[in-house]
Amino acid sequence: MAGKFVCSKRKDGQDTFVLKASNGQVILSGEGYKSAKSCANGIESVRKNSQVEGRFEVKTAKDGRSFFVLKAANGQVVGKSQMYKSTSGCSNGMKSVAENAPKAEVVQA
């Protein structure tokens, strides 16, 4: 089974998505969008930008855990990962996004 983008509505009414790996684990979360069309554009941005290694940026949270963000060419963050206990886990998460995003189906929650 391949990865998939799962679209849903947030409590504030905005559309959002998560990218799940084939095992069902969330590997990237999108921001809130004002419309379903904007959310779909965000998914397309993740598909495209996940194929450019330099668009991933590793960060460290205050508690020392690692996470990454995926940025568009203009520098805007288009997705954020979960927190990882190790940098190797974070690296594997980036690889998983790069492998899953391009062909992931889009489904509604």
Side-chain angles (χ1 to χ4, degrees), residues 3-8 15-21 24-31 33 39 43 46 80 104-107 109:
K4 62 184 173 183
F5 287 100
V6 180
C7 299
S8 62
D15 292 276
T16 191
F17 65 86
V18 294
L19 174 60
K20 292 186 174 186
Q25 184 176 356
V26 174
I27 52 177
L28 191 76
S29 299
E31 61 180 88
Y33 296 92
C39 188
I43 289 171
V46 169
K80 180 181 172 184
E105 68 175 320
V106 178
V107 300

Side-chain angles (χ1 to χ4, degrees), residues 81-109:
S81 75
Q82 65 179 18
M83 296 290 178
Y84 295 94
K85 292 177 183 172
S86 68
T87 53
S88 63
C90 190
S91 178
N92 289 337
M94 290 185 288
K95 288 177 189 171
S96 184
V97 169
E99 290 170 7
N100 283 280
K103 295 182 180 167
E105 68 175 320
V106 178
V107 300
Q108 293 296 319

Side-chain angles (χ1 to χ4, degrees), residues 33-59:
Y33 296 92
K34 293 181 180 177
S35 70
K37 185 174 194 269
S38 295
C39 188
N41 289 341
I43 289 171
E44 289 309 309
S45 182
V46 169
R47 289 186 198 278
K48 183 171 78 173
N49 290 295
S50 67
Q51 301 308 292
V52 181
E53 191 175 326
R55 301 276 164 82
F56 288 95
E57 184 178 326
V58 177
K59 297 184 173 264

